[in-house]
Amino acid sequence: MINDFFSFLQKSAEKRQNLQKFTNALRLVNGGADGFPGFTLDQYGTHFQVQFFSEKLLAQENQICEEIQRLFSPEYLVVKYRLSPSGKDLEHPEFRVVCGLNPETIVQEGNCLFQVNLEDTVNPGLFLDMREIREDIERRSSGAKVLNLFSYTCSFGVHARVGGASMAVNVDISGKILEKGRENYKLNGLECLPGEFFKGNAFEYLAWAKKREKKFDVVVLDPPSFARFKGFSFNVRQDLDSLVKSSASILSPGGLLMVSSNYSGFSLDSFSEKILQDVQETASCAKVLWKRSQASDFVGSGQSKDSSLCATLVQVG
């Protein structure tokens, strides 16, 4: 098995060679779909991240890490252990630094730059599987007013502004995360405009925007599956419908709503159909422009619980 892995690792990098012309942040191994269940390998420029979702390859961990070092000469390599079936280790998994001192680096994604930190929870600051969707939003943002809900480190906001958006409002409950978003703006030479960073939950902002009769040309709605923060609780299965309807109500004529979820209980076709139905309660002539799963380097997306994404783009009349 380990010899097969070494051989695949070289072939895997070659398969993604065209993608590496666009970005240096990508997935090199995506678990069972690549023939290695329970194992992923991500590249963030000169930094690399291994994740174990099962114990099948753990016995060969040291050999695997040695080969990664030989092939890629990483400045930094970390191994994260996400072995809890209950997901208890989702935000703060156990990890081991194999080599390197500084977990922070800057990566390029198309026209944009982002800061990442491979020791900062499970996700280093950039969701790799959403890359192609961010690129699409960038292309559609020229002159637009964009609302980025559950903004995290504001990657959609950065892409929108780089694409020519007149402004991109980023909404998140964490002030610490929004500060990272401001840093990403500055990294890309973007002025942080008044009102572009809102600390609070998405429901609060949508209610405020509706009351003020604010309209947006593009709304990005990418919520977590579950969230709790200072008495606020969110469950995507229960709360997504109302969020979609509220988001649709503040869209300008011809406006776009992108909705996505990594919740493994959704299927792409039914997800897209339900989002369209919710939007049509506000705009009866709405239509689906596309429905997508994870980016192309996430081969076999949807075949395992840890590799799933449903996303759809709806346009109102």
Side-chain angles (χ1 to χ4, degrees):
M1 172 69 80
I2 194 68
N3 289 332
D4 291 341
F5 177 85
F6 295 160
S7 174
F8 167 77
L9 201 53
Q10 292 174 302
K11 293 177 181 177
S12 178
E14 293 171 0
K15 285 194 301 184
R16 291 160 167 85
Q17 192 169 5
N18 286 336
L19 183 58
Q20 289 173 336
K21 297 175 183 177
F22 171 76
T23 181
N24 60 2
L26 64 157
R27 176 150 292 186
L28 295 178
V29 179
N30 195 40
D34 283 324
F36 296 89
F39 175 90
T40 63
L41 173 63
D42 296 324
Q43 176 182 354
Y44 295 87
T46 59
H47 289 38
F48 289 74
Q49 173 177 274
V50 166
Q51 296 184 90
F52 286 102
F53 293 88
S54 75
E55 298 180 353
K56 292 183 179 180
L57 290 175
L58 270 179
Q60 296 150 324
E61 176 185 340
N62 289 336
Q63 293 169 286
I64 290 171
C65 289
E66 288 173 3
E67 186 64 12
I68 292 171
Q69 289 177 278
R70 186 182 72 81
L71 289 175
F72 302 110
S73 301
E75 290 185 9
Y76 182 90
L77 173 61
V78 64
V79 177
K80 295 181 179 178
Y81 307 95
R82 299 180 58 185
L83 306 174
S84 170
S86 66
K88 288 176 62 178
D89 55 6
L90 179 62
E91 285 302 316
H92 300 284
E94 293 184 19
F95 66 88
R96 176 176 74 93
V97 176
V98 178
C99 69
L101 299 175
N102 185 2
E104 299 181 352
T105 190
I106 294 173
V107 298
Q108 181 175 5
E109 183 176 85
N111 300 315
C112 303
L113 300 173
F114 295 100
Q115 300 183 55
V116 296
N117 183 334
L118 271 66
E119 292 182 16
D120 190 6
T121 71
V122 167
N123 193 280
L126 188 67
F127 291 102
L128 301 182
D129 60 345
M130 299 283 283
R131 179 192 317 108
E132 293 166 5
I133 298 173
R134 287 190 291 267
E135 182 186 12
D136 186 80
I137 294 298
E138 178 182 328
R139 289 194 297 263
R140 299 175 185 271
S141 292
S142 180
K145 295 180 66 174
V146 178
L147 174 61
N148 181 22
L149 300 171
F150 300 93
S151 66
Y152 191 44
T153 58
C154 308
S155 56
F156 273 104
V158 169
H159 272 280
R161 285 285 306 277
V162 167
S166 60
M167 75 178 308
V169 177
N170 302 280
V171 177
D172 201 278
I173 57 177
S174 170
K176 179 181 177 181
I177 287 295
L178 286 175
E179 185 57 38
K180 292 183 179 181
R182 290 187 180 92
E183 292 171 1
N184 279 329
Y185 265 50
K186 294 174 184 176
L187 182 63
N188 287 274
L190 301 171
E191 179 187 0
C192 297
L193 302 175
E196 280 197 302
F197 299 89
F198 179 88
K199 182 179 179 296
N201 70 57
F203 291 98
E204 290 175 335
Y205 189 87
L206 287 168
W208 177 83
K210 189 172 183 178
K211 184 177 180 180
R212 296 293 185 94
E213 298 184 344
K214 287 186 173 291
K215 295 291 182 180
F216 290 88
D217 304 300
V218 180
V219 176
V220 172
L221 180 54
D222 179 32
S225 297
F226 307 96
R228 287 189 180 89
F229 183 79
K230 295 183 179 179
F232 169 71
S233 180
F234 177 83
N235 183 314
V236 72
R237 290 171 298 172
Q238 300 171 2
D239 299 322
L240 185 59
D241 285 354
S242 60
L243 270 178
V244 170
K245 293 172 186 177
S246 295
S247 298
S249 71
I250 61 169
L251 280 174
S252 302
L256 302 170
L257 173 62
M258 196 292 294
V259 187
S260 59
S261 175
N262 285 100
Y263 177 60
S264 59
F266 292 143
S267 68
L268 183 56
D269 288 341
S270 60
F271 179 84
S272 181
E273 183 178 346
K274 186 63 172 68
I275 298 303
L276 178 61
Q277 291 173 356
D278 289 340
V279 174
Q280 286 177 332
E281 291 192 19
T282 298
S284 59
C285 56
K287 60 182 180 181
V288 172
L289 298 186
W290 53 247
K291 52 185 176 181
R292 296 179 179 174
S293 190
Q294 292 175 300
S296 56
D297 44 326
F298 286 71
V299 294
S301 177
Q303 295 181 13
S304 64
K305 188 175 182 179
D306 50 87
S307 182
S308 60
L309 173 69
C310 294
T312 190
L313 183 68
V314 175
Q315 184 176 39
V316 302

